[in-house]
Amino acid sequence: MIALAVAAAQSAAADGCPVTPDHTTALDGLYAEVQRAPNEMIARNFSSQMWELWLEAPDEPSQMMLDEALRAMRVSDYLRAEDRLNTLVSYCPFYPEGYNQRAFVNYLRGDYAAALPDLDQAIALNPRHTGALTGKALTLIALGREDEAQPVLKDAVALNPWLGERVLITEPEGEPL
C-alpha cells in the first residue's frame, strides 16, 4: 500500500502539482464569523474550519504526503515528517501548508532559525494564515526577537481576536494595554 502511494506521488510529481484550492470566499466568511464570535469557545469552531481548509492539499498525492507527514509528527518522527514535507514542497511549491507544517517540524525540533524561511514563504503565499503568523511570532519569541514578534502577533490577532497567543501581546512601556 505504501509503495503504491509513493509510486502515485512520484508519478504525480512528474506531471506537476495542480493549483492550490481557492478557499478565499469560505475563509472570508470564517474570518468575519470569528471576529463576531462572542467567546473563545464559539470562535474555536471557526478556527477549526479554517484549519480544515488549509489542510486540504491540491490533489490526492499531495494530500497523502501531507497526511503522512502529520502522522509522523504525531509520533515525533520528525525525520520522516520532514522528508514527506520536503517532497510536498518540491511537488507543490505554491501550497502554503507544506511550508507551514515543515516550519512546525523545525519548531518542534527546536531549530527555530530553520523554521523562519518556511513561515515567511507560507505567509507570502497566504498572508491571512493565522497559524503561520502565530507560528512566526512564537518562533521569533523563541529566538529572543520579541520586538519583531509583536507586529506579526498583532496581525494574527487582528484576523482572529480569539487566538490563544493573544496573551503574548505586549505594549510599549507607558502605553495602556
Side-chain angles (χ1 to χ4, degrees):
M1 174 92 172
I2 292 176
L4 185 60
V6 170
Q10 290 172 340
S11 171
D15 296 337
C17 181
V19 175
T20 301
D22 183 4
H23 296 300
T24 304
T25 302
L27 286 166
D28 287 347
L30 290 169
Y31 283 114
E33 291 292 338
V34 80
Q35 290 176 359
R36 284 193 299 265
N39 60 53
E40 189 171 359
M41 184 87 108
I42 292 171
R44 196 173 299 147
N45 177 52
F46 299 121
S47 295
S48 293
Q49 290 178 54
M50 288 179 201
W51 276 105
E52 287 176 23
L53 295 174
W54 294 328
L55 290 168
E56 183 183 322
D59 63 3
E60 188 175 337
S62 59
Q63 190 68 57
M64 289 186 337
M65 292 176 220
L66 178 61
D67 292 345
E68 288 174 17
L70 295 173
R71 279 192 299 276
M73 289 167 59
R74 279 195 292 276
V75 296
S76 302
D77 186 351
Y78 301 135
L79 290 175
R80 174 77 176 148
E82 182 180 35
D83 174 69
R84 299 315 301 146
L85 293 166
N86 286 341
T87 303
L88 175 58
V89 165
S90 293
Y91 173 58
C92 294
F94 300 107
Y95 176 49
E97 198 56 35
Y99 296 97
N100 187 50
Q101 291 300 322
R102 190 168 67 178
F104 188 45
V105 168
N106 283 314
Y107 182 90
L108 291 172
R109 291 182 356 195
D111 191 353
Y112 308 120
L116 280 178
D118 279 339
L119 289 164
D120 287 337
Q121 184 62 31
I123 294 165
L125 292 168
N126 182 357
R128 299 187 309 166
H129 192 309
T130 54
L133 289 165
T134 56
K136 182 175 180 176
L138 292 171
T139 301
L140 289 166
I141 290 168
L143 288 167
R145 295 162 57 183
E146 177 81 27
D147 289 346
E148 292 175 65
Q150 287 299 307
V152 178
L153 192 54
K154 288 175 184 176
D155 288 345
V157 171
L159 292 166
N160 181 351
W162 295 104
L163 291 170
E165 293 84 358
R166 71 186 182 275
V167 300
L168 299 173
I169 292 178
T170 60
E171 294 295 330
E173 283 189 38
E175 291 188 30
L177 296 173

